[in-house]
Amino acid sequence: LGFESADPALGWGVGAWGESTWNTARDATSNTINLDATNWSLSLWGEDILANNRNGQIYYWDTSAGEGTRAVLVSSLSGATDVPTKVRTIAVSFPDRHLIAGGATPLGSTELDPMLVRFSNQEDFAVFTPTSTNTAGDQRLEVGQKIICMLPTKDEMFIQTDEAAYAMTFTGPPFTFSFRLLAVNCGAVGLSGSANVDGDVYWIGKNNFFVYDGAVKELPCSVQYFVFDRMQKQFVDKTFAAHNKKYNEVTWFYV
């Protein structure tokens, strides 16, 4: 279950203070805050699969158990500790093998922090409790309102918020990872709107296209206005990036 599309958020705090009368439903067109569509992010852990539904929990599927066996919550596994109860997206870092939760509930809390990055102990995706003898931890990003997606590249984890791009690099003890702000005003719009092509990342932004090949650059686009003037903004999070290796092309499918 979940949201097929992003829906307007009509709850407390939307719109101007004192707008209309008490207990009157607000006009959906009068706000710009949306509830996220329920997209899934999938990551391989060896031959098994880790899965997360946007703003939901993390699941583990042991593929050796066969297709008739359902995935289980990571938090239900033996030895699991402090697994985030709400997560926006997941990825597995390479080559160090940490499970990264982008946008997650803080340690000891049930409230989602959409800008918090939490990472598990190395080689143990079920242990999120930081100790002096493991590599679990967290880091809150500052630029943006929420983490949109994460992509593992050759040397780092590429993290995109709705406003900026970050690089997350494994450094080992004592901090495990370093975080670098790569660029601002280049935010991603959807979980699947970015493509990793041989370590370079191509993605669609709010009004243009970008590439990260060691530096963030705007891609020249002769049909930029044709694309973004026609795009239905309320469905922008459905945009999907695909890589055609045969012709060395990246294609974006959008509504």
Side-chain angles (χ1 to χ4, degrees), residues 53-126:
N53 58 327
R54 178 80 94 194
N55 298 323
Q57 300 192 65
I58 307 173
Y59 297 84
Y60 168 70
W61 183 42
D62 182 356
T63 58
S64 64
E67 296 179 2
T69 302
R70 295 173 65 111
V72 298
L73 290 172
V74 169
S75 58
S76 70
L77 298 176
S78 176
T81 62
D82 290 314
V83 179
T85 56
K86 297 176 184 177
V87 178
R88 288 186 54 78
T89 183
I90 61 171
V92 175
S93 59
F94 177 83
D96 47 281
R97 292 237 303 177
H98 290 78
L99 174 58
I100 315 297
T105 49
L107 193 68
S109 173
T110 58
E111 294 297 322
L112 177 68
D113 184 341
M115 291 291 286
L116 180 68
V117 177
R118 291 186 61 187
F119 44 92
S120 73
N121 187 29
Q122 188 170 16
E123 295 289 349
D124 193 343
F125 60 81

Side-chain angles (χ1 to χ4, degrees), residues 14-36:
V14 174
W17 178 261
E19 182 181 70
S20 190
T21 57
W22 179 260
N23 205 33
T24 300
R26 301 303 182 246
D27 181 5
T29 63
S30 67
N31 73 84
T32 58
I33 301 174
N34 287 323
L35 301 175
D36 290 314

Side-chain angles (χ1 to χ4, degrees), residues 201-230:
V201 180
Y202 297 81
W203 74 96
I204 187 171
K206 298 174 183 177
N207 296 295
N208 40 25
F209 298 94
F210 297 92
V211 60
Y212 172 64
D213 57 1
V216 174
K217 305 170 185 175
E218 185 176 336
L219 285 173
C221 180
S222 59
V223 293
Q224 178 176 343
Y225 294 107
F226 177 81
V227 171
F228 291 97
D229 287 351
R230 296 171 67 249

Side-chain angles (χ1 to χ4, degrees), residues 143 162-165 181 183-188 203 205-206 208 210 216 218:
V143 183
D162 54 347
E163 296 292 342
L181 176 61
V184 298
N185 298 321
C186 60
W203 74 96
K206 298 174 183 177
N208 40 25
F210 297 92
V216 174
E218 185 176 336

Side-chain angles (χ1 to χ4, degrees), residues 1-9 33-41 52-56 87-89 112 146-148 189-192 233-239 255:
L1 297 178
F3 298 101
E4 180 181 357
S5 300
D7 289 331
I33 301 174
N34 287 323
L35 301 175
D36 290 314
T38 307
N39 295 317
W40 284 81
S41 50
N52 161 246
N53 58 327
R54 178 80 94 194
N55 298 323
V87 178
R88 288 186 54 78
T89 183
L112 177 68
K146 56 187 177 182
I147 293 172
I148 301 296
V189 295
L191 180 66
S192 302
K233 301 295 185 180
Q234 68 269 36
F235 300 127
V236 69
D237 62 342
K238 294 178 180 286
T239 304
V255 180

